[in-house]
């Protein structure tokens, strides 16, 4: 079966660092995406990993370990505007599909002053 | 590039009525996706087009749902005989060809079935 797990909610302090974990179990794997979604708005793309390792993009970094079925999103120098839900999505080629993304339920990140 | 647009942004309908939503993707994107999202959940895949061809449809999608993309540009999603359980945000996304290309989402259509 397919399963993507993320913590439901996390709280962090402005200026600090937070790591949001995602574990997945899919029959195939062809890439992992992280998206940010503010309340009432559409998801916006943050990062894409298909090979093991760390991808850095400004204040945001994403890590992937395919052997462990594990990824994390690292947010540095947190700002109040980073308060949002963070969605992990996996492209599961094992479903006979190269196009369908399987989505986690998202992690609601609350930033406190 | 004006982004992905969806119309209407909000729709309130009575149970049993039919509704139709429209999505205009980014012009050079040949892939178009429809998702449904409820509060506190991630997007749930509904269907996918490459150009005008509907290549995938979720096994969870009942036959009350149908989607078209007649000329490979805009797409419509129709829900027939709506039920209260259909109340959700319906999101459209588009992307370029290529496995690593991210999907760009529209603002969504919020459907409320009373």
């Amino acid at each position: 079966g397919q399963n993507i797990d993320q913590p439901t909610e996390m709280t962090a302090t402005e200026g600090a660092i937070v790591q949001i974990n995602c574990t997945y179990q899919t029959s195939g794997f062809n890439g992992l995406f992280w998206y940010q979604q503010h309340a009432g708005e559409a998801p916006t793309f943050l990062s894409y990993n298909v090979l093991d390792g760390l991808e850095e993009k400004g204040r945001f970094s994403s890590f992937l370990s395919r052997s462990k079925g594990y990824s994390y999103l690292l947010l540095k120098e947190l700002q109040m505007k980073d308060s949002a839900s963070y969605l992990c999505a996996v492209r599961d080629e094992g479903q006979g599909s190269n196009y369908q993304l399987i989505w986690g339920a998202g992690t609601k990140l609350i930033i406190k002053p | 590039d004006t982004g992905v647009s969806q119309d209407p942004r909000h729709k309130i309908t009575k149970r049993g009525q039919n509704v139709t939503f429209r999505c205009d993707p980014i012009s050079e994107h040949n892939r178009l996706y429809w998702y449904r999202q409820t509060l506190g959940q991630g997007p749930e895949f509904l269907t996918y087009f490459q150009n005008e061809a509907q290549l995938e449809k979720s096994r969870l999608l009942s036959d009350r749902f149908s989607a078209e993309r007649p000329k490979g540009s805009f797409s419509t999603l129709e829900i027939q005989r709506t039920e209260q359980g259909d109340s959700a945000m319906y999101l459209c996304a588009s992307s370029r060809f290529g496995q690593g290309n991210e999907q760009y989402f529209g603002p969504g259509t919020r459907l409320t079935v009373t």
Side-chain angles (χ1 to χ4, degrees), chain B residues 18-84:
Chain B
N18 299 343
V19 295
T20 300
F21 309 142
R22 176 180 171 124
C23 171
D24 286 88
I26 294 171
S27 57
E28 64 267 28
H29 287 182
N30 61 346
R31 292 182 171 177
L32 187 148
Y33 311 79
W34 284 99
Y35 294 92
R36 177 171 60 192
Q37 188 177 26
T38 54
L39 195 63
Q41 298 298 315
E44 175 191 12
F45 172 80
L46 295 179
T47 191
Y48 155 79
F49 291 85
Q50 181 157 302
N51 300 315
E52 65 276 8
Q54 187 175 19
L55 296 187
E56 288 187 57
K57 187 174 178 180
S58 170
R59 288 187 292 270
L60 302 175
L61 207 60
S62 79
D63 56 9
R64 297 186 297 107
F65 289 71
S66 61
E68 294 183 343
R69 195 183 183 196
K71 297 181 180 178
S73 56
F74 75 92
S75 175
T76 58
L77 176 70
E78 181 183 18
I79 308 174
Q80 296 181 326
R81 305 181 302 280
T82 52
E83 302 172 356
Q84 286 188 320

Side-chain angles (χ1 to χ4, degrees), chain A residues 85-96:
Chain A
S85 286
Y86 291 85
L87 298 160
C88 173
V90 172
R91 177 171 278 126
D92 184 356
E93 201 171 29
Q95 292 297 305

Side-chain angles (χ1 to χ4, degrees), chain A residues 19-73:
Chain A
Q19 177 174 312
I20 302 174
N21 295 326
C22 170
T23 58
Y24 62 89
Q25 292 176 308
T26 54
S27 50
F29 177 84
N30 198 13
L32 184 145
F33 294 80
W34 283 96
Y35 279 78
Q36 180 191 60
Q37 186 173 27
H38 285 98
E41 298 182 11
T44 55
F45 170 78
L46 290 177
S47 69
Y48 170 69
N49 295 70
V50 67
L51 299 176
D52 291 351
L54 187 69
E55 295 281 342
E56 297 186 79
K57 190 184 293 186
R59 294 190 298 116
F60 293 4
S61 303
S62 57
F63 172 83
L64 175 67
S65 170
R66 288 172 297 171
S67 62
K68 295 181 179 178
Y70 168 70
S71 173
Y72 68 72
L73 180 70

Side-chain angles (χ1 to χ4, degrees), chain A residues 10-14 18 20 36-41 59-60 75 77-86 107-113:
Chain A
M10 299 181 70
T11 302
T13 304
E14 189 177 15
V18 71
I20 302 174
Q36 180 191 60
Q37 186 173 27
H38 285 98
E41 298 182 11
R59 294 190 298 116
F60 293 4
L75 292 76
E77 301 169 16
L78 287 169
Q79 302 174 11
M80 297 303 293
K81 67 178 183 179
D82 296 330
S83 292
S85 286
Y86 291 85
T107 299
K108 183 178 180 180
L109 178 62
I110 300 168
I111 309 298
K112 296 185 174 180

